[in-house]
Amino acid sequence: MSVQSVPALMVQGTGSDVGKSLLVAGLCRAYARRGLCVRPFKPQNMSNNAAVTDDGGEIGRAQALQARAAGVPTTVHMNPVLLKPQSDIGSQVVVQGKVLTTAKARDYYRLKRDLLPKVLESFEVIAADADLVLVEGAGSPAEVNLRASDIANMGFAEAAEIPVILVGDIDRGGVIASIVGTYELLSADDRRWLKGYVINKFRGDVSLFGSATNIIADKTDLKSFGIVTYWSGAHKLPAEDGVALEKSGKYHRGRDDGGLLRIAVPHLPRIANFDDLDPLAAEPDVELLLIKPGQVIPGACDLVILPGSKSTLADLKFLKNQGWDIDILAHYRRGGHVIGICGGYQMLGHMVHDPDGVEGEPGSEAGLGLLDVETVMAGDKTLRKTDAVTVGNDSGLAAHLALWGYEIHMGQTDGPDRARSWLQLGDRLGDHTNGVLDGAISADGRVMGCYLHGLFGSDAFRHAFLARMGGDGMSNGLNFEAGIDASLDALADHLEACLDLDGMLELAKSRGK
């Protein structure tokens, strides 16, 4: 079978955050369970939630979840263009897993015209060994003012000749207008790729939407592939980007019955890889508080976590402007614990230097001074998956606890507290004898930092870490990774019940005919 005739289906949306990413993940699992070799693909993504791939690059976290749902290794070709926002007007541009440049929005608009060949090249790699490719669009094709250089929606669908279904989110209201309006805005050439639609996040009696289906058919002649009723398990899966943090439910302000441990996390503007927090939020005895701008970090908390950041200096300045530095230092003086991950680790030191403007404007910024280290943003980006073991020292953790994760950062951190590194990273075969030491611990053992993302996903380590924070009486029954796969199965079951998966597969097979 030639690449041009490999079955493929593109899922576009009437807007951002209508549920495209989760729908594609669920479809990947559903079709994979039917015995198909499924590959996910997203031409262009914008997110600071990134994943390190099995071939050593980076892609959007959503595509990594979709690959997991399909049961296939991750590759940079699943998301050939990744935009990682560093400011309100500029982003780091990652092409086929590697940093290409940093560009402002207007500059990228001109640049992306030259990226379509790379996108199509990656699609051909993905399609070469697939029975089915499920493609996710970005934003909405209704942004017709950007159509001339589009590589994310109809521009890609046309170039790769892939049929499209449109997803509308009824939960936000106006779903008929959003579907019909999108159809009306598309040119006649683009409409020929649009074959149907799906209504997502429906609450209540589905039969009441029957007349709406007739209205949409009359206005657009599009086929309905089903109505997906609201699925309550979405919060159990990693979120695509920071939009999830703006909504209630991803991380809660607190449990009604409290918890054995209270953890506070400042919500930084350029927060990155915040799915590090998911395993902690899933623990029944943990109360995880995401502290929004304008809120105070509460005095009565056991642990403060400084998360990853795509723009460490800018987020460090923001943290100070919010007065959170004062809150964190007061928390520490009261005997509280602090841990920083990646960018958060860098903020805990005395200084962060960015002489070349790697993450924004060149400059330096004083850190919180809770770790005796300094960071310089220089050199190549570190990208790797790795396993690790704990090092028995002032961390208070037992030695040789196994864990795994990934590094994805700019900059190098050094200083006296690095002598108390608490993680030894392994090679790809799990040998830690000559592994790189990561992390730092303060002399009193109450402040820790490391570059390893994903470490809390390892159950034994997470439970030991939380016990050290004061959660000795916590239940240790949570198997986080098994819960992810169980949720993907539940999502696939839900879509099987709500959608015409046979009809969607036939539509995918019509490509090239």
Side-chain angles (χ1 to χ4, degrees):
M1 182 184 299
S2 69
V3 169
Q4 288 72 26
S5 60
V6 171
L9 181 65
M10 190 168 191
V11 178
Q12 297 184 16
T14 57
S16 297
D17 198 40
V18 299
K20 299 185 297 291
S21 295
L22 274 188
L23 284 177
V24 171
L27 292 172
C28 282
R29 178 56 61 94
Y31 287 123
R33 294 192 311 193
R34 295 185 176 193
L36 296 175
C37 182
V38 184
R39 294 290 188 275
F41 185 78
K42 184 161 185 169
Q44 173 190 291
N45 199 350
M46 177 177 281
S47 175
N48 278 331
N49 258 15
V52 176
T53 60
D54 291 302
D55 52 0
E58 60 180 312
I59 58 174
R61 170 62 56 189
Q63 281 60 66
L65 179 67
Q66 291 160 1
R68 177 173 181 164
V72 297
T74 53
T75 169
V76 298
H77 297 294
M78 291 174 174
N79 176 203
V81 179
L82 174 62
L83 306 179
K84 306 185 77 173
Q86 293 178 317
S87 69
D88 289 339
I89 60 171
S91 297
Q92 185 181 79
V93 182
V94 179
V95 177
Q96 292 182 340
K98 303 299 180 184
V99 177
L100 175 67
T101 187
T102 298
K104 293 183 177 180
R106 185 172 297 277
D107 296 329
Y108 177 69
Y109 182 78
R110 291 190 290 265
L111 171 65
K112 68 179 180 178
R113 299 171 185 173
D114 300 324
L115 296 181
L116 183 58
K118 287 288 188 183
V119 170
L120 292 173
E121 176 184 84
S122 287
F123 178 76
E124 290 183 1
V125 172
I126 291 297
D129 59 352
D131 299 323
L132 173 65
V133 181
L134 294 173
V135 184
E136 180 189 344
S140 171
E143 296 161 350
V144 292
N145 55 309
L146 304 176
R147 175 62 178 88
S149 62
D150 175 56
I151 62 173
N153 290 301
M154 287 302 180
F156 174 77
E158 179 182 51
E161 299 185 347
I162 297 177
V164 176
I165 59 171
L166 188 65
V167 177
D169 177 5
I170 196 171
D171 200 38
R172 64 176 63 183
V175 72
I176 298 175
S178 64
I179 291 174
V180 175
T182 298
Y183 178 86
E184 288 293 336
L185 284 169
L186 295 179
S187 67
D189 285 341
D190 283 347
R191 284 181 190 174
R192 65 194 177 103
W193 303 109
L194 184 57
K195 304 298 184 181
Y197 68 93
V198 165
I199 303 296
N200 197 23
K201 306 180 190 178
F202 190 98
R203 302 174 191 258
D205 185 350
V206 173
S207 66
L208 296 177
F209 200 76
S211 58
T213 302
N214 295 333
I215 293 170
I216 294 172
D218 180 59
K219 298 290 185 180
T220 67
D221 201 30
L222 296 176
K223 177 181 178 179
S224 170
F225 284 96
I227 299 173
V228 180
T229 54
Y230 190 86
W231 185 61
S232 61
H235 69 283
K236 297 179 181 179
L237 294 171
E240 178 179 23
D241 53 38
V243 174
L245 296 185
E246 304 298 335
K247 301 165 62 180
S248 61
K250 180 59 184 174
Y251 300 124
H252 43 74
R253 271 291 307 165
R255 295 171 19 156
D256 293 338
D257 58 348
L260 290 178
L261 277 178
R262 173 181 271 193
I263 300 173
V265 184
H267 185 184
L268 305 171
R270 300 299 168 197
I271 189 171
N273 298 82
F274 59 81
D275 53 315
D276 285 339
L277 306 173
D278 288 2
L280 300 173
E283 286 286 353
D285 294 321
V286 168
E287 183 183 21
L288 184 68
L289 306 177
L290 187 68
I291 309 303
K292 298 288 189 177
Q295 297 176 341
V296 175
I297 297 175
C301 62
D302 302 285
L303 172 67
V304 173
I305 298 177
L306 290 184
S309 167
K310 188 63 194 75
S311 187
T312 301
L313 264 71
D315 274 354
L316 179 54
K317 292 175 183 177
F318 181 87
L319 181 149
K320 293 176 182 179
N321 289 337
Q322 292 294 313
W324 287 338
D325 57 333
I326 298 172
D327 296 341
I328 293 168
L329 294 173
H331 163 80
Y332 172 72
R333 288 194 298 270
R334 287 190 296 266
H337 293 265
V338 183
I339 185 171
I341 301 173
C342 201
Y345 170 32
Q346 296 170 342
M347 295 179 197
L348 290 174
H350 292 299
M351 293 292 297
V352 181
H353 306 283
D354 190 359
D356 300 322
V358 170
E359 290 193 341
E361 292 297 323
S364 297
E365 184 72 20
L368 301 184
L370 291 175
L371 287 176
D372 193 3
V373 297
E374 291 193 6
T375 297
V376 178
M377 299 293 186
D380 296 331
K381 178 181 279 192
T382 299
L383 287 168
R384 70 165 181 164
K385 288 184 173 182
T386 182
D387 61 321
V389 294
T390 53
V391 177
N393 55 20
D394 295 331
S395 70
L397 297 166
H400 306 301
L401 283 172
L403 60 154
W404 55 265
Y406 60 97
E407 291 183 273
I408 181 168
H409 66 90
M410 301 295 296
Q412 300 297 321
T413 300
D414 205 359
D417 281 350
R418 285 280 287 120
R420 285 182 291 272
S421 298
W422 54 284
L423 292 173
Q424 188 164 27
L425 310 183
D427 60 22
R428 296 184 71 87
L429 300 177
D431 181 9
H432 305 94
T433 56
N434 297 308
V436 175
L437 291 172
D438 180 35
I441 302 176
S442 61
D444 61 9
R446 289 192 286 114
V447 182
M448 308 168 66
C450 70
Y451 277 115
L452 191 67
H453 286 288
L455 71 170
F456 292 124
S458 302
D459 297 327
F461 168 78
R462 181 178 68 256
H463 295 145
F465 177 85
L466 293 175
R468 180 181 180 274
M469 297 298 119
D472 291 314
M474 291 179 56
S475 60
N476 291 338
L478 176 67
N479 184 327
F480 179 73
E481 291 300 323
I484 294 290
D485 281 310
S487 294
L488 287 169
D489 280 330
L491 176 58
D493 291 341
H494 189 67
L495 297 186
E496 289 273 12
C498 294
L499 296 178
D500 179 10
L501 265 64
D502 292 334
M504 292 167 66
L505 182 58
E506 288 305 309
L507 178 59
K509 291 178 178 179
S510 71
R511 176 178 180 252
K513 296 181 180 178

